[in-house]
Amino acid sequence: MKSKSLMLSNMGAAPWKYLLLAVILAFSNVVPAHADDHEGTPADADSVAVAENVDPPPYEGSYEVFTASDGFTLFTLNNLWILVAAFLVFTMHLGFATLESGLCQSKNTVNILFKNVFIISIGILTYALDGFNAMYPGGDMGIDWNGYFALGSWFGVDPADTAMITDHYNPGYTWWTDFLFQAMFAATGATIVSGAVAERIKLPAFMVFAILFVGFAYPTAGSWKWGEGWLDAKGFYDFAGSSIVHAFGGFGALACVLILGPRKGKYLDGGIKPIPASNFPLATIGVFLLFLGWFGFNGGSFLSADPKLVSYVCVTTALAAASGAVSSIVFSYMACKKPDLSMALNGILAGLVGITAGADVVSISDSIIIGLVAGAVVVFSILFFDKQKIDDPVGAISVHGVCGIWGTLAVGIFGESGDPEKPFTIGTQFLGAISYSIFAFAFAYIVFSILKAVMGVRVSEEEEDRGLDITEHGQEAYTN
Amino acid sequence: MKSKSLMLSNMGAAPWKYLLLAVILAFSNVVPAHADDHEGTPADADSVAVAENVDPPPYEGSYEVFTASDGFTLFTLNNLWILVAAFLVFTMHLGFATLESGLCQSKNTVNILFKNVFIISIGILTYALDGFNAMYPGGDMGIDWNGYFALGSWFGVDPADTAMITDHYNPGYTWWTDFLFQAMFAATGATIVSGAVAERIKLPAFMVFAILFVGFAYPTAGSWKWGEGWLDAKGFYDFAGSSIVHAFGGFGALACVLILGPRKGKYLDGGIKPIPASNFPLATIGVFLLFLGWFGFNGGSFLSADPKLVSYVCVTTALAAASGAVSSIVFSYMACKKPDLSMALNGILAGLVGITAGADVVSISDSIIIGLVAGAVVVFSILFFDKQKIDDPVGAISVHGVCGIWGTLAVGIFGESGDPEKPFTIGTQFLGAISYSIFAFAFAYIVFSILKAVMGVRVSEEEEDRGLDITEHGQEAYTN
Amino acid sequence: MKSKSLMLSNMGAAPWKYLLLAVILAFSNVVPAHADDHEGTPADADSVAVAENVDPPPYEGSYEVFTASDGFTLFTLNNLWILVAAFLVFTMHLGFATLESGLCQSKNTVNILFKNVFIISIGILTYALDGFNAMYPGGDMGIDWNGYFALGSWFGVDPADTAMITDHYNPGYTWWTDFLFQAMFAATGATIVSGAVAERIKLPAFMVFAILFVGFAYPTAGSWKWGEGWLDAKGFYDFAGSSIVHAFGGFGALACVLILGPRKGKYLDGGIKPIPASNFPLATIGVFLLFLGWFGFNGGSFLSADPKLVSYVCVTTALAAASGAVSSIVFSYMACKKPDLSMALNGILAGLVGITAGADVVSISDSIIIGLVAGAVVVFSILFFDKQKIDDPVGAISVHGVCGIWGTLAVGIFGESGDPEKPFTIGTQFLGAISYSIFAFAFAYIVFSILKAVMGVRVSEEEEDRGLDITEHGQEAYTN
């Protein structure tokens, strides 16, 4: 794992160094991580994605035997909760679609909605094709789990295979539930990028990028921790994905935004011309739905309905969101002398992103502090990127990227490590946060640069003026 | 069952023949189906609407005895899931309301919303009054289940009757839960019609039609399969209602649209003048909510929370929806050279309607194929009906009617019949699909023709020009 | 309890008498109610907020011992349902936000959304700070539950305290779940006020008012019944809060509206000039989400997933909502000769508010009657307040205040008291309804009068003309 020290000492370097690093990182991982997986702990082979402290009870026999067993009701209950959590995370995609539509100009709304419909659809399909296998490469359930490029092996799955639908697979849910919950997560990365690049990206370029980002980059990086890869071995802790999902999406977005450049007319003569949100009710609907969905995003990430764990995490999640909003209201008022609705909305999201990494390992008062800090961070981060002429129409880089890093570090600052064998520290958290951020940035930078050269990534000035809805789709979002 | 062969040989006939057929069908059913019900299998009398392979455990005693019994926790869990599924199906009604509002012109939006508020309200009430009894006519729970016209018998129900709230009624849920879940389904048929007839139907005519369609036609036809009627005896399979709910609604809509005629100005001099959607964010919210609700629509249709069944069905549902969208995007791009948002949205719905009949009996790869086909079918069906000058503002006939038939046939093509005593075949599926489509068409044609003669079904040209919101409601959807 | 007779004989008195009454009421309560709490029944100390008829099984040992115990699965299930119910009640806050935005003018929409974001955030935080302790002051779970002003004691809570996360705390859920569910309720009161005072209230005044109303007044009054205070001892019954939440919010709103006065231009030369809703789709989304959320509001109020209780309550809730809508449609048509969408929407809410107090103790046919009456009451109440020049842009006083009282009284009229020791009567119901209404009115009147004197509560005429969005927030809800 030489890549680690290399990485840490290069944080201030130029983009091309990140790219090099990312290649090294990715490469250093593909080989040893999977060597680990396949050689390391064969006894654990069945417990992919299972909380370590739960022993799957031994299981033999048919599904009917299982339904008559003692633990069947609890298994059914856990399975149901993860399904419901998957539905809640699905709702977040509607939240993203409405938030982005609301914060952007109405002339680009159809384009944004189209991208969101595309992302959730292609996200589920690519995750079925290869993402699920790539992200959770272990196991030996009679399926050929052959690592990253297990393309299509999923289709050989036998729905009647009893092992997949009993606690032999996992004490808490079936293989199918596992897939659905993880698939709903998978599309999130591309959705985050979608908001930041809105209003000037070419649709075909985005579609290709989204497929690669969701179908390849996310499961690859996700496996570092959740697939029991090298970051997991280091003790890195990221409960529901402040880094794995949010910083990943946010820094992928940053790379794309740097290549795309700002929207026309946004930075004129050194000044910043705000481009107002077109539909605040829509944006507010989006944030409330994201808040709602986050109860599944975090609460489902135990992969069980354990009352101690799930209840606690829902409370820390709600408190961080609430304090994020209050903090953003206060700090944006101090900065701009106005009670700013978009900042209040971003404050809720900042608190949610911030608590995601450590929702289960921080105290109640810490969850409020994490939210308050996140709410302040997001305000100043948005103002900072705007000053740097890095144009992010929805604030996704700040909300998901910067607050994702904050949330990951907060685990090291506030959290109490429950696993003595793999304790997390501020160092492991820094390593993880920065690994995900750099990898996502580098991957997006390389892919987007290639797409720029091959097919172009930005619409023409005339198209941008008229709006993507008319020029790319021949449809308008709002008519009489 | 002579009506069957008669029906099959008359598919290309003129509308009046369908009407005759429907009368025969309805009549041939009322008598023998219920004769079957009441004479057939008295041992099954308790298991109305129960999956055949589950034996209700014997139950004796008070509710307190039941709560202390072994199976109480699993019963409570199953019951809770069906309740949550009912809430999800309820959400679909909001989805329909926003989808239709978004796809129609803003001058008719209040009218559309009013119809949707009316439908869900009157749907629940008529289902309480007579629909629930009519659809599930069997049983002897101390209530007078006297078949179709059990009007008001429901009100004599004793909430303290222990049988209704224990596994004596059903191993998976209480009588109350059963009612709520089925009631949420019931209003769907009229909602489907609502979209197709939008922007020119007279409100009073629609209200009368909706009451009859939801309160009488749907439970009558629904009982053919779900009430253990003649189609059930034939082996016809329709898991959650591709035919029973969707084709039923879609072909009822077709009849109404044929009688109503197209919107003014839609087909001029042989050309088609597109009437653009007024609010795409609203339409997109609608489709995401329908996608979300479908997890309850399909996932709840096992009437238990069995982890094997529910997980699997949620996965096939999600995959069909996703592949429906991708397919519609591709085919509509090929047909129109534009990435069309309304087609992408209809693609999701097409996939969902398509998978509804066989979500539990097709393989994973089949679910993707079903979605891909549905996504193509809906594009060409919408273009086809438009060429025929059959004006369906939201594409409901194609999405629900045509894809409903596709989904029902797909069960025969792809599915593996699990019940050796009543195997389904492509023949049973064709029979069922066509029976529901013709009955709904004929019922709607007759009722709507009578309404046309008695009270008029179409607003005046002047009202259509000004919009129904101002002329019928004195309200506008959007003001300053 | 001398205050009771005093109160009953003064209902027609002038506002200042209500204020006096409220002070007496509040005072008479603070002392004896808590004396009762602390002296009365030590054996019940553990059963705070627990249904009286459920005995918490004895519990000893670690959480691991608990997870292996017989009742653990049912506990987990109950806990999960209350969590899901909390998510549903959270959804109601989005419903309120969109309903209010939709029914008001677009120039005040950002302001309304901002208030709603603020209320849910500050509501959760103040409930954590002191509200939860103040409302449920009993118990001795190793925490210093020292009554009303237990400010901050919450932060000393030890997440590892086993008692809080097992059935030692409550047979149905953990302390954390209890907090979350109750916190979601708490913010509702201020949200109800928010709608009635919209379009002319000063934001800072509202923010201060909301903090006091949610953080102090609601938990104080709530404890009278749900904290086992004096109204509970009297036998007063309010299942999920027709009075405790809705009449409380509605009459608090009335006081604020009386002080604020009507919107400029609303009542000219004695005539009433309707100010039309700006966005009916948004308002309709709001009402459907409130309907959806109400399944959690009522269904979760058993604090268990008992299939008998939860199923039944969901059915009475749905029937009352549906009949409320139908009734409002009919009566508003009779009154105004138009099918009025806003009245139909308010009819749904009226039915829901009406059934809330007695959803579990009235029969099915009674639930329909309660909804029908509520749907009529809300129409005439809205017309009445409008004639009195009491300007309530969203009808909150009628929907929540008047129908809240109706629902509370309906328990006495229709309900069968299940608790022979503390039977409710029409008298107890009248006492409770009037106590909550007067207390909320008086509290709001005093606080709002002070705010008027200290900081002003109404924006300038010029600000009102231009709209609060531009003048207070510098943002517009809808732009291009």
Side-chain angles (χ1 to χ4, degrees):
Chain A
M1 293 294 164
K2 279 172 187 162
S3 56
K4 184 179 62 169
S5 55
L6 180 62
M7 183 181 59
L8 294 176
S9 62
N10 271 282
M11 278 168 32
W16 68 266
K17 291 202 183 168
Y18 295 156
L19 306 194
L20 184 62
L21 256 172
V23 173
I24 295 168
L25 258 179
F27 194 75
S28 70
N29 163 42
V30 166
V31 184
H34 284 83
D36 285 350
D37 257 13
H38 292 139
E39 297 169 10
T41 50
D44 284 331
D46 289 348
S47 63
V48 178
V50 174
E52 273 80 7
N53 57 343
V54 186
D55 278 327
Y59 175 72
E60 306 262 337
S62 69
Y63 187 71
E64 281 64 36
V65 172
F66 179 61
T67 60
S69 69
D70 275 352
F72 175 69
T73 302
L74 185 56
F75 179 86
T76 303
L77 173 56
N78 287 330
N79 186 67
L80 181 61
W81 164 234
I82 306 306
L83 280 177
V84 170
F87 307 157
L88 288 168
V89 180
F90 171 81
T91 308
M92 293 172 69
H93 289 279
L94 174 56
F96 279 117
T98 52
L99 173 61
E100 293 170 22
S101 302
L103 291 183
C104 291
Q105 298 167 87
S106 59
K107 66 183 176 183
N108 299 314
T109 301
V110 167
N111 184 256
I112 288 169
L113 297 170
F114 187 90
K115 286 190 295 181
N116 278 282
V117 167
F118 178 77
I119 290 169
I120 182 69
S121 301
I122 208 70
I124 292 172
L125 287 175
T126 57
Y127 210 69
L129 270 166
D130 82 313
F132 191 41
N133 280 351
M135 191 149 168
Y136 300 100
D140 62 339
M141 274 141 278
I143 310 160
D144 181 22
W145 295 87
N146 53 1
Y148 283 169
F149 297 102
L151 195 71
S153 72
W154 207 72
F155 294 103
V157 162
D158 178 7
D161 182 348
T162 307
M164 298 169 59
I165 48 177
T166 63
D167 54 14
H168 186 68
Y169 174 65
N170 182 293
Y173 46 78
T174 68
W175 195 80
W176 308 104
T177 298
D178 196 6
F179 165 74
L180 198 69
F181 185 66
Q182 306 298 347
M184 293 303 174
F185 266 63
T188 309
T191 308
I192 292 168
V193 175
S194 160
V197 300
E199 312 210 72
R200 73 270 202 207
I201 197 170
K202 259 193 184 169
L203 185 62
F206 180 79
M207 290 166 82
V208 174
F209 176 80
I211 292 172
L212 296 173
F213 203 64
V214 169
F216 175 72
Y218 171 76
T220 299
S223 77
W224 298 348
K225 167 65 188 166
W226 290 342
E228 304 191 332
W230 67 275
L231 273 170
D232 185 59
K234 293 277 179 199
F236 169 65
Y237 194 79
D238 189 358
F239 173 58
S242 281
S243 280
I244 300 172
V245 177
H246 294 282
F248 179 82
F251 284 91
L254 176 59
C256 296
V257 165
L258 287 176
I259 293 174
L260 267 183
R263 287 170 291 174
K264 203 183 152 193
K266 170 81 184 178
Y267 304 111
L268 291 171
D269 307 327
I272 300 168
K273 186 187 145 232
I275 298 177
S278 65
N279 194 324
F280 266 116
L282 211 48
T284 306
I285 288 174
V287 169
F288 272 87
L289 291 181
L290 285 161
F291 192 160
L292 174 67
W294 231 285
F295 288 119
F297 198 90
N298 284 358
S301 287
F302 283 114
L303 310 175
S304 97
D306 184 286
K308 171 187 172 187
L309 303 172
V310 177
S311 301
Y312 187 74
V313 153
C314 289
V315 170
T316 55
T317 300
L319 287 171
S323 45
V326 170
S327 171
S328 276
I329 288 171
V330 169
F331 283 98
S332 66
Y333 187 83
M334 284 163 56
C336 314
K337 307 296 171 210
K338 290 276 179 192
D340 189 294
L341 177 57
S342 54
M343 286 297 190
L345 296 174
N346 275 328
I348 288 180
L349 299 181
L352 290 165
V353 170
I355 198 66
T356 293
D360 59 331
V361 293
V362 300
S363 75
I364 290 297
S365 41
D366 291 342
S367 75
I368 294 177
I369 294 169
I370 288 170
L372 291 173
V373 172
V377 162
V378 79
V379 169
F380 295 111
S381 176
I382 286 174
L383 297 175
F384 167 82
F385 280 112
D386 222 13
K387 275 202 184 152
Q388 306 306 310
K389 303 191 182 174
I390 293 170
D391 183 22
D392 175 2
V394 303
I397 299 167
S398 300
V399 167
H400 301 279
V402 178
C403 291
I405 289 186
W406 158 242
T408 311
L409 296 179
V411 171
I413 299 169
F414 297 105
E416 288 180 60
S417 186
D419 186 348
E421 287 178 32
K422 293 193 291 182
F424 55 75
T425 64
I426 187 115
T428 62
Q429 297 310 105
F430 188 75
L431 171 65
I434 221 66
S435 301
Y436 281 105
S437 303
I438 292 178
F439 176 73
F441 182 90
F443 181 89
Y445 204 94
I446 293 170
V447 169
F448 218 59
S449 297
I450 294 171
L451 290 174
K452 185 179 179 180
V454 172
M455 64 199 297
V457 294
R458 181 151 184 160
V459 299
S460 72
E461 288 204 15
E462 193 206 321
E463 286 174 309
E464 195 174 341
D465 282 339
R466 291 191 63 201
L468 308 184
D469 291 1
I470 285 293
T471 58
E472 296 226 37
H473 302 271
Q475 294 176 310
E476 284 180 285
Y478 305 99
T479 65
N480 287 322
Chain B
M1 292 295 163
K2 278 173 188 162
S3 55
K4 184 178 62 168
S5 56
L6 179 63
M7 184 180 57
L8 293 176
S9 61
N10 271 283
M11 277 167 32
W16 68 266
K17 291 203 182 167
Y18 295 156
L19 306 194
L20 184 62
L21 256 171
V23 173
I24 295 167
L25 256 178
F27 193 75
S28 71
N29 162 40
V30 167
V31 185
H34 284 84
D36 284 351
D37 257 11
H38 292 140
E39 295 169 12
T41 51
D44 285 330
D46 291 347
S47 64
V48 178
V50 174
E52 274 79 7
N53 58 343
V54 186
D55 277 327
Y59 174 73
E60 304 263 337
S62 70
Y63 188 71
E64 280 65 36
V65 172
F66 179 60
T67 60
S69 70
D70 275 353
F72 175 68
T73 302
L74 185 57
F75 179 86
T76 303
L77 173 56
N78 287 330
N79 186 66
L80 181 61
W81 164 235
I82 306 308
L83 279 177
V84 170
F87 307 157
L88 289 168
V89 180
F90 171 81
T91 309
M92 294 173 69
H93 289 279
L94 174 56
F96 278 117
T98 53
L99 174 61
E100 293 170 22
S101 302
L103 290 183
C104 292
Q105 298 168 88
S106 59
K107 67 183 177 183
N108 299 313
T109 302
V110 167
N111 184 256
I112 288 168
L113 296 170
F114 188 90
K115 286 191 293 182
N116 277 282
V117 167
F118 178 76
I119 291 167
I120 181 68
S121 302
I122 209 71
I124 292 172
L125 288 175
T126 57
Y127 210 69
L129 269 166
D130 82 313
F132 190 41
N133 280 352
M135 192 149 167
Y136 300 101
D140 63 338
M141 273 141 278
I143 310 160
D144 180 22
W145 295 87
N146 52 1
Y148 283 168
F149 298 102
L151 194 71
S153 73
W154 208 72
F155 293 102
V157 163
D158 178 6
D161 182 348
T162 307
M164 297 169 61
I165 48 177
T166 64
D167 53 14
H168 186 69
Y169 174 65
N170 182 294
Y173 47 78
T174 68
W175 195 80
W176 308 104
T177 298
D178 196 6
F179 165 74
L180 199 68
F181 184 67
Q182 307 297 348
M184 293 302 174
F185 266 63
T188 309
T191 308
I192 292 168
V193 176
S194 160
V197 299
E199 313 210 72
R200 72 270 203 207
I201 197 170
K202 259 193 184 171
L203 184 62
F206 180 78
M207 290 166 81
V208 173
F209 176 79
I211 291 172
L212 295 172
F213 202 63
V214 169
F216 175 72
Y218 171 75
T220 299
S223 78
W224 297 348
K225 168 63 189 165
W226 290 342
E228 305 191 333
W230 67 274
L231 274 170
D232 185 59
K234 293 277 178 199
F236 170 65
Y237 194 79
D238 190 358
F239 173 57
S242 282
S243 280
I244 301 172
V245 177
H246 294 282
F248 179 82
F251 283 91
L254 176 59
C256 296
V257 165
L258 288 176
I259 294 173
L260 267 183
R263 286 169 293 173
K264 203 183 152 193
K266 170 81 184 177
Y267 304 110
L268 292 171
D269 307 326
I272 299 169
K273 187 188 145 234
I275 298 177
S278 63
N279 194 323
F280 265 116
L282 211 48
T284 307
I285 288 174
V287 169
F288 271 87
L289 291 181
L290 284 161
F291 193 160
L292 173 68
W294 230 285
F295 288 118
F297 198 90
N298 284 358
S301 286
F302 283 115
L303 310 176
S304 95
D306 185 287
K308 171 187 172 187
L309 304 172
V310 176
S311 302
Y312 187 75
V313 153
C314 288
V315 170
T316 55
T317 299
L319 287 171
S323 46
V326 170
S327 172
S328 277
I329 289 171
V330 169
F331 282 98
S332 65
Y333 187 84
M334 285 164 56
C336 315
K337 307 298 170 208
K338 290 276 178 192
D340 189 294
L341 177 56
S342 54
M343 286 297 190
L345 296 174
N346 274 328
I348 288 180
L349 299 182
L352 290 166
V353 171
I355 198 64
T356 293
D360 60 331
V361 293
V362 300
S363 75
I364 290 297
S365 42
D366 292 341
S367 74
I368 294 176
I369 295 169
I370 289 171
L372 291 173
V373 172
V377 162
V378 79
V379 169
F380 295 111
S381 176
I382 286 174
L383 296 175
F384 168 82
F385 281 113
D386 221 13
K387 275 203 183 152
Q388 307 307 311
K389 303 192 181 175
I390 293 170
D391 182 21
D392 175 2
V394 302
I397 300 166
S398 301
V399 167
H400 300 279
V402 179
C403 291
I405 288 185
W406 159 241
T408 310
L409 296 179
V411 171
I413 299 169
F414 298 105
E416 288 180 61
S417 185
D419 186 348
E421 287 180 32
K422 294 193 290 182
F424 56 74
T425 64
I426 187 111
T428 62
Q429 297 310 104
F430 187 76
L431 171 64
I434 222 67
S435 300
Y436 281 105
S437 303
I438 292 179
F439 176 73
F441 183 90
F443 181 90
Y445 204 93
I446 294 170
V447 169
F448 218 60
S449 298
I450 295 170
L451 290 175
K452 186 179 179 181
V454 172
M455 62 199 296
V457 294
R458 182 152 183 159
V459 298
S460 72
E461 288 204 16
E462 193 205 322
E463 287 175 308
E464 194 175 342
D465 283 338
R466 293 191 63 200
L468 308 184
D469 292 2
I470 285 293
T471 58
E472 296 225 37
H473 302 272
Q475 294 176 309
E476 283 180 285
Y478 306 99
T479 64
N480 286 321
Chain C
M1 292 296 163
K2 279 171 186 162
S3 56
K4 185 178 65 169
S5 56
L6 180 63
M7 185 180 57
L8 293 176
S9 62
N10 272 283
M11 278 169 32
W16 67 267
K17 291 201 182 169
Y18 294 157
L19 306 194
L20 184 63
L21 255 172
V23 173
I24 296 168
L25 257 179
F27 193 76
S28 70
N29 162 42
V30 167
V31 185
H34 283 83
D36 286 349
D37 258 11
H38 291 139
E39 297 170 11
T41 51
D44 284 332
D46 289 346
S47 63
V48 178
V50 175
E52 273 79 9
N53 57 342
V54 186
D55 278 325
Y59 174 71
E60 306 262 337
S62 70
Y63 187 70
E64 281 64 36
V65 171
F66 179 60
T67 61
S69 70
D70 275 353
F72 176 69
T73 303
L74 185 57
F75 179 86
T76 304
L77 173 56
N78 286 330
N79 187 66
L80 182 62
W81 164 235
I82 306 306
L83 279 176
V84 170
F87 307 157
L88 289 168
V89 180
F90 172 80
T91 309
M92 293 173 69
H93 290 279
L94 175 56
F96 279 116
T98 53
L99 173 61
E100 293 171 21
S101 301
L103 291 183
C104 292
Q105 299 167 85
S106 59
K107 67 182 177 183
N108 299 313
T109 301
V110 167
N111 184 255
I112 288 167
L113 296 170
F114 188 90
K115 286 190 294 180
N116 277 282
V117 167
F118 178 77
I119 290 168
I120 181 69
S121 302
I122 209 72
I124 293 172
L125 288 175
T126 57
Y127 211 68
L129 269 165
D130 81 313
F132 190 41
N133 280 352
M135 192 149 166
Y136 300 101
D140 63 339
M141 275 139 277
I143 310 160
D144 180 21
W145 296 87
N146 52 2
Y148 282 168
F149 297 102
L151 194 71
S153 72
W154 207 71
F155 293 102
V157 162
D158 178 7
D161 182 348
T162 307
M164 297 168 61
I165 49 178
T166 65
D167 53 14
H168 185 69
Y169 174 65
N170 182 293
Y173 46 77
T174 68
W175 194 80
W176 308 104
T177 298
D178 196 6
F179 165 74
L180 199 68
F181 185 66
Q182 306 298 347
M184 294 302 174
F185 266 63
T188 309
T191 308
I192 293 169
V193 175
S194 161
V197 300
E199 313 209 73
R200 73 268 203 209
I201 198 170
K202 260 193 184 169
L203 185 62
F206 180 78
M207 290 166 81
V208 173
F209 176 79
I211 291 172
L212 296 172
F213 203 62
V214 169
F216 175 72
Y218 171 75
T220 299
S223 77
W224 297 348
K225 167 64 188 165
W226 290 342
E228 305 191 333
W230 67 274
L231 274 170
D232 186 59
K234 294 277 179 198
F236 170 64
Y237 194 78
D238 190 357
F239 172 58
S242 282
S243 280
I244 301 172
V245 178
H246 295 282
F248 179 82
F251 284 91
L254 175 60
C256 295
V257 166
L258 288 177
I259 294 173
L260 266 183
R263 287 170 291 174
K264 204 184 151 191
K266 172 79 183 178
Y267 304 110
L268 292 171
D269 307 327
I272 300 168
K273 187 187 145 232
I275 298 177
S278 64
N279 194 324
F280 265 116
L282 211 48
T284 307
I285 288 174
V287 168
F288 272 87
L289 292 181
L290 284 161
F291 193 161
L292 173 68
W294 230 285
F295 288 119
F297 198 90
N298 284 358
S301 287
F302 284 113
L303 310 175
S304 97
D306 184 288
K308 170 187 173 187
L309 303 172
V310 176
S311 302
Y312 187 75
V313 153
C314 288
V315 170
T316 55
T317 299
L319 287 171
S323 46
V326 170
S327 171
S328 277
I329 288 171
V330 169
F331 283 98
S332 64
Y333 187 84
M334 284 164 55
C336 315
K337 306 296 169 210
K338 289 276 178 192
D340 189 294
L341 177 56
S342 53
M343 286 297 189
L345 296 174
N346 275 328
I348 289 180
L349 299 182
L352 290 166
V353 171
I355 198 66
T356 294
D360 59 331
V361 293
V362 300
S363 75
I364 291 297
S365 41
D366 292 340
S367 75
I368 294 177
I369 294 169
I370 288 170
L372 291 173
V373 172
V377 162
V378 79
V379 169
F380 295 111
S381 175
I382 286 174
L383 297 176
F384 168 81
F385 280 112
D386 223 13
K387 275 202 184 153
Q388 307 308 310
K389 302 192 182 174
I390 293 171
D391 182 21
D392 175 1
V394 302
I397 299 167
S398 301
V399 167
H400 300 279
V402 178
C403 291
I405 289 185
W406 159 241
T408 311
L409 296 180
V411 171
I413 299 168
F414 298 105
E416 289 180 59
S417 186
D419 187 348
E421 286 178 33
K422 293 194 289 182
F424 56 74
T425 64
I426 187 113
T428 63
Q429 296 311 103
F430 188 74
L431 171 66
I434 222 67
S435 300
Y436 281 105
S437 303
I438 292 178
F439 175 72
F441 182 90
F443 181 90
Y445 204 92
I446 294 170
V447 169
F448 219 59
S449 297
I450 295 170
L451 290 174
K452 186 178 179 182
V454 172
M455 63 199 296
V457 294
R458 182 152 183 160
V459 299
S460 72
E461 288 204 16
E462 193 206 321
E463 287 174 308
E464 194 175 341
D465 282 338
R466 292 190 63 200
L468 307 184
D469 291 2
I470 285 293
T471 57
E472 296 226 35
H473 301 270
Q475 294 176 309
E476 284 180 285
Y478 305 99
T479 65
N480 286 322

